[in-house]
Amino acid sequence: MKFKLKSDFNPAGDQPKAIQTLSDGINANKSDQILLGVTGSGKTFTMANIIQNMNRPTLIIAHNKTLAAQLCNEFKEFFPDNAVEFFISYYDYYQPEAYIPSRDAYIEKEADINEEIERLRHSATRSLLTRRDVIIIASVSCIYGLGVPEDYLKAVIEIEVGKTYNRRQLLSKLEASQYERNDIELTAGRYRIKGDTIDIYASWDELIYRCEFFGDECEKLSILEPISLRTLAEETIVKIFPATHYVVHDYKESAIQNIRTELINQIKHFEDAEKLVEAQRIKQRTNYDLDMIQEMGYCKGIENYSRHLSQRQAGDPPGVLLDFFPDDFITFIDESHVTVPQIRGMYHGDQSRKQNLVDYGFRLPSAKDNRPLMFAEFENKIPTCIYVSATPGEYELEKTYLKDVKAGPTIDKWDHYDCAQQIIRPTGLLDPIIDVRPSKGQIDDILAEIKKRIKKEERVLITTLTKQMSEDLSDFLSQQSIKVQYLHSEISTLDRVDILHDLRTGKSDVLVGVNLLREGLDLPEVSLVIILDADKEGFLRTERSLIQTIGRAARHEEGTVILYADKLSDSMKTAIDETQRRRNIQKEHNKKHHIKPQSIRKKITDIRSEARKEVTQTLTNLETKSPKEQLKVIKVLEKQMNDAANNLEFELAAVLRDQINELKNKF
């Protein structure tokens, strides 16, 4: 099936040119290109049009789960008839296994697998193996060890109406694919038997596959809705995909033997070093895991033995999500100036954590081969990549540099790169005006500027260099009767939702923060951005950081940025020049097409308040109910939590989770 983009809008501004340029580049087998898209220019829509043009499986990598979820929802709207999948790691939500020697603290990996995340991951890999009209939106978890596609496919069980099956062998195959028998409670990854009927709850979808037999012959195949058991469809053939990505096959005995050999060597290593505690620890833990693999085909933390289970050599890269894609897939790296360094740093961070586990007897050395890809390995698996950013990093610039472009009066900086510029916004909005002012007397000046914006019911963002500065400035402004809040890394995720909502609704007029005021904040009510210590060269005041922060004022027709500085740094000059260049292009376009800039209008929703209201009412109702009825209500809330997660509404799901725990403790 081909990709079919559905939208009420057509490409506008310089979107058509960007779409054509990048599509032509892919057709010409260019491995690396840049989509230079300013804030609010519709980069996502451009990406969607390229996907439709090329009609190839696509991977979109985002640097955090929140942005990934937003992108996933957008692409689901663009491509309702195609497979748009969401792939994130448990590590995006839970603390991975670790040992901290300084505190003698062993942190066990979260025991409970989030069923929703697991289902979404299985849905993604299944789509990649069964169709081509697939878009996967992933966090950097796509470079973590996942399993080998060939082994995963080998474990697929095909059942067809009219064919005969040895019942014992069929059940053994289900067990080998890690489906667990449970005749009482049927959930994802389980199966049950009632007479001649086998019900299998799919690992990749919220559906039950019912197989009805007459003797050894499959007589009927049905797909059921899990709650009501209503028949949704009847099939002639079904494929049951494994319940885990780490599948143990015929070479299980060989793998177990290799693990035992490694264990003997590691015990000897510890004993020779007179580390008897470590020797006993690794012996006990590994033998327990081996017993589980022998008997059940699985153990907790089986991924740590993936090198042996997949018959890899030491140091070989693990199987990852990228291996499930065909050879001609397209990759978009969103906010590449942030995402690429994150991908580059994953391997070393993981190895540091694993080394402690190995040194202190918690894991065998081969556990280090259950790892993210090295950056060079990642590069080799990406045939075609488009880097999407308003401020591409040095890596992207190096990969796309064109050596044969000659300087000339009509040539600007970006003509030297394999780059499509998307400067024009559909709203006609211009990049903000930039005003550089001295730091002397800046507090009084800031106060005056804030009051001007408050009179016009507009909002202000202020960025500082440190957390302490953000808190101190907030305290001062509050003393001046300014409705202000601060935002930095110590503020919890859900509290950030509240703070940003308060700013948009006018409960606060000013938000003070550090680097959290860069990528990903969509605040159309903000007309003024203030950058303190703009001339202090460093991570927070590089040209890219400054341009990204300046972009926060680009969603308002009166967008202005004030840079407080005692000198004009190189980063400031570059950022100012680039902003002015874009603004000139935008002004010329508006003049030519008679476009009047219009501020973005965006609906303000408060999912946390809605959740709190709902749960508060539930709490009140529970007080008059019996313990049995209370339990039923909590079950309903748990379903709502799972539904919210399924719809990628993670903030709502988190609120419901917290409130469910509160209800359980109370009742």
Side-chain angles (χ1 to χ4, degrees):
M1 186 175 180
K2 292 187 175 181
F3 285 106
K4 188 175 181 180
L5 174 60
K6 294 187 177 181
S7 174
D8 295 332
F9 303 97
N10 294 315
D14 48 12
Q15 285 177 334
K17 185 179 178 182
I19 294 165
Q20 191 63 52
T21 299
L22 295 170
S23 298
D24 290 346
I26 296 171
N27 284 325
N29 296 319
K30 291 181 177 180
S31 59
D32 302 277
Q33 300 181 90
I34 291 173
L35 172 56
L36 182 74
V38 300
T39 303
S41 63
K43 296 187 289 291
T44 306
F45 189 52
T46 297
M47 292 158 64
N49 276 275
I50 294 169
I51 293 170
Q52 179 177 246
N53 284 354
M54 304 316 302
N55 203 44
R56 298 187 195 179
T58 300
L59 170 67
I60 301 171
I61 306 177
H63 63 89
N64 64 57
K65 65 181 183 295
T66 303
L67 180 58
Q70 290 173 355
L71 287 170
C72 190
N73 282 324
E74 289 182 53
F75 278 98
K76 280 181 179 290
E77 290 180 6
F78 286 143
F79 298 102
D81 300 327
N82 305 111
V84 179
E85 306 283 1
F86 189 61
F87 188 94
I88 58 174
S89 164
Y90 306 126
Y91 296 153
D92 291 307
Y93 286 91
Y94 303 121
Q95 174 71 45
E97 183 183 31
Y99 178 70
I100 305 171
S102 60
R103 293 191 287 150
D104 189 26
Y106 171 69
I107 303 170
E108 191 170 10
K109 180 184 173 181
E110 178 70 35
D112 296 328
I113 292 177
N114 184 302
E115 288 186 2
E116 186 57 32
I117 294 175
E118 181 74 347
R119 185 187 69 76
L120 291 169
R121 286 162 64 87
H122 278 288
S123 180
T125 51
R126 178 179 179 271
S127 290
L128 285 171
L129 295 173
T130 58
R131 56 197 297 179
R132 281 186 57 83
D133 59 325
V134 183
I135 302 170
I136 308 291
I137 292 88
S139 65
V140 293
S141 60
C142 63
I143 69 168
Y144 272 86
L146 181 66
V148 181
E150 292 78 13
D151 290 346
Y152 189 73
L153 273 173
K154 197 184 294 184
V156 174
I157 302 168
E158 189 174 284
I159 306 174
E160 187 175 352
V161 173
K163 287 193 173 183
T164 58
Y165 299 88
N166 181 295
R167 184 184 178 92
R168 181 171 293 179
Q169 289 180 357
L170 180 60
L171 296 181
S172 293
K173 286 183 178 179
L174 280 172
E175 294 284 345
S177 293
Q178 297 309 310
Y179 283 90
E180 176 188 338
R181 180 172 178 175
N182 191 313
D183 294 339
I184 299 173
E185 185 181 16
L186 193 60
T187 56
R190 292 179 174 178
Y191 72 96
R192 69 183 173 202
I193 301 173
K194 290 185 178 181
D196 289 336
T197 299
I198 303 175
D199 288 339
I200 305 166
Y201 201 127
S203 62
W204 67 92
D205 206 351
E206 292 182 302
L207 296 171
I208 293 173
Y209 288 74
R210 173 164 288 178
C211 310
E212 299 177 52
F213 290 83
F214 183 76
D216 289 338
E217 181 183 343
C218 180
E219 193 175 49
K220 186 179 180 182
L221 291 171
S222 309
I223 300 177
L224 312 180
E225 195 276 323
I227 305 297
S228 65
L229 297 182
R230 178 171 57 90
T231 300
L232 302 176
E234 292 189 8
E235 302 288 344
T236 57
I237 185 170
V238 297
K239 290 184 177 181
I240 306 299
F241 283 75
T244 176
H245 286 102
Y246 293 95
V247 183
V248 181
H249 284 297
D250 301 334
Y251 43 73
K252 179 174 74 174
E253 293 302 325
S254 170
I256 288 175
Q257 185 54 52
N258 290 337
I259 295 169
R260 290 195 189 281
T261 301
E262 185 184 11
L263 173 61
I264 292 169
N265 293 334
Q266 190 66 359
I267 292 173
K268 186 178 184 304
H269 165 75
F270 282 135
E271 288 177 344
D272 289 347
E274 297 184 355
K275 295 182 176 180
L276 302 184
V277 173
E278 287 82 355
Q280 179 61 27
R281 181 183 288 148
I282 194 64
K283 179 181 179 180
Q284 185 177 356
R285 290 173 61 89
T286 307
N287 280 330
Y288 177 80
D289 287 346
L290 287 171
D291 289 342
M292 291 294 294
I293 295 172
Q294 186 78 59
E295 295 300 319
M296 308 296 296
Y298 196 79
C299 74
K300 182 182 172 183
I302 192 171
E303 65 273 9
N304 290 291
Y305 304 104
S306 61
R307 190 234 289 175
H308 297 295
L309 295 171
S310 60
Q311 305 288 284
R312 289 184 285 125
Q313 297 298 311
D316 287 350
V320 297
L321 178 69
L322 303 177
D323 296 312
F324 285 76
F325 282 88
D327 293 338
D328 63 341
F329 77 101
I330 302 168
T331 300
F332 291 91
I333 301 182
D334 195 40
E335 301 289 0
S336 61
H337 62 287
V338 179
T339 309
V340 168
Q342 196 176 75
I343 294 171
R344 191 190 293 274
M346 284 296 176
Y347 172 79
H348 296 291
D350 180 82
Q351 291 297 287
S352 176
R353 177 176 61 83
K354 291 275 178 58
Q355 191 62 56
N356 277 341
L357 292 169
V358 172
D359 290 344
Y360 289 89
F362 291 94
R363 290 294 174 192
L364 292 174
S366 59
K368 292 168 54 178
D369 286 317
N370 169 45
R371 58 175 176 81
L373 295 176
M374 299 180 192
F375 193 70
E377 295 168 342
F378 168 76
E379 288 181 296
N380 290 334
K381 291 181 182 288
I382 303 294
T384 302
C385 187
I386 295 175
Y387 308 96
V388 183
S389 175
T391 54
E394 293 301 326
Y395 173 81
E396 302 95 291
L397 297 179
E398 182 183 331
K399 295 289 286 187
T400 59
Y401 184 72
L402 302 172
K403 297 179 181 178
D404 55 349
V405 177
K406 296 180 180 179
T410 61
I411 300 292
D412 70 25
K413 170 187 172 181
W414 296 106
D415 291 327
H416 292 275
Y417 300 93
D418 218 331
C419 169
Q421 297 191 62
Q422 195 165 296
I423 308 298
I424 310 300
R425 297 183 176 87
T427 57
L429 284 172
L430 308 176
D431 270 35
I433 297 169
I434 297 179
D435 188 0
V436 180
R437 300 182 184 181
S439 56
K440 186 178 180 180
Q442 62 183 8
I443 298 301
D444 290 338
D445 194 52
I446 289 170
L447 192 58
E449 290 292 340
I450 290 173
K451 290 178 178 179
K452 290 179 186 177
R453 303 291 165 163
I454 291 175
K455 284 183 180 180
K456 295 190 286 186
E457 297 185 351
E458 297 166 3
R459 313 288 184 262
V460 180
L461 294 182
I462 305 176
T463 175
T464 66
L465 281 178
T466 67
K467 298 173 187 177
Q468 189 62 52
M469 287 172 64
S470 69
E471 294 179 15
D472 290 345
L473 181 57
S474 296
D475 288 341
F476 171 79
L477 293 174
S478 182
Q479 293 170 13
Q480 306 303 311
S481 302
I482 301 295
K483 294 183 293 184
V484 59
Q485 295 192 72
Y486 61 83
L487 184 65
H488 53 59
S489 58
E490 294 181 9
I491 306 296
S492 71
T493 300
L494 292 178
D495 285 339
R496 293 179 205 179
V497 175
D498 279 341
I499 291 170
L500 295 175
H501 181 266
D502 288 348
L503 184 72
R504 294 203 62 198
T505 57
K507 287 184 179 179
S508 59
D509 293 311
V510 180
L511 179 60
V512 186
V514 192
N515 63 327
L516 298 175
L517 303 183
R518 288 169 54 195
E519 301 88 357
L521 280 187
D522 186 3
L523 303 168
E525 295 78 15
V526 172
S527 67
L528 175 63
V529 172
I530 294 172
I531 303 176
L532 299 180
D533 299 302
D535 55 347
K536 300 294 191 294
E537 291 274 16
F539 171 69
L540 297 178
R541 297 295 182 263
T542 64
E543 60 183 84
R544 293 184 180 87
S545 296
L546 289 172
I547 291 172
Q548 288 287 344
T549 307
I550 288 167
R552 296 313 102 196
R555 296 181 180 272
H556 199 284
E557 60 190 280
E558 296 188 18
T560 303
V561 177
I562 301 176
L563 306 177
Y564 288 98
D566 294 322
K567 63 179 186 331
L568 191 65
S569 68
D570 291 341
S571 295
M572 286 174 62
K573 188 177 185 308
T574 303
I576 292 168
D577 289 348
E578 177 61 15
T579 302
Q580 190 58 50
R581 184 188 74 87
R582 297 175 182 181
R583 186 175 169 87
N584 291 338
I585 294 171
Q586 294 155 356
K587 285 175 70 174
E588 184 62 31
H589 177 84
N590 288 354
K591 183 180 178 181
K592 183 178 178 180
H593 297 278
H594 308 290
I595 297 172
K596 185 180 178 181
Q598 294 182 336
S599 297
I600 294 173
R601 301 286 185 264
K602 187 177 179 182
K603 183 181 177 183
I604 302 174
T605 57
D606 185 9
I607 55 176
R608 289 200 70 185
S609 291
E610 292 168 8
R612 288 194 189 98
K613 183 179 178 182
E614 183 176 347
V615 176
T616 300
Q617 185 61 46
T618 302
L619 187 64
T620 304
N621 294 338
L622 276 178
E623 293 175 351
T624 61
K625 295 182 182 293
S626 66
K628 189 175 181 179
E629 290 173 322
Q630 292 168 6
L631 185 61
K632 285 183 179 179
V633 174
I634 290 173
K635 289 288 186 185
V636 170
L637 285 177
E638 287 176 338
K639 185 178 183 307
Q640 291 175 357
M641 177 185 68
N642 293 329
D643 289 343
N646 189 43
N647 294 326
L648 309 181
E649 297 171 343
F650 294 109
E651 291 90 351
L652 175 57
V655 172
L656 289 168
R657 177 203 62 204
D658 294 343
Q659 297 292 351
I660 288 167
N661 291 334
E662 190 177 314
L663 293 176
K664 286 180 176 178
N665 291 333
K666 185 171 183 177
F667 296 100

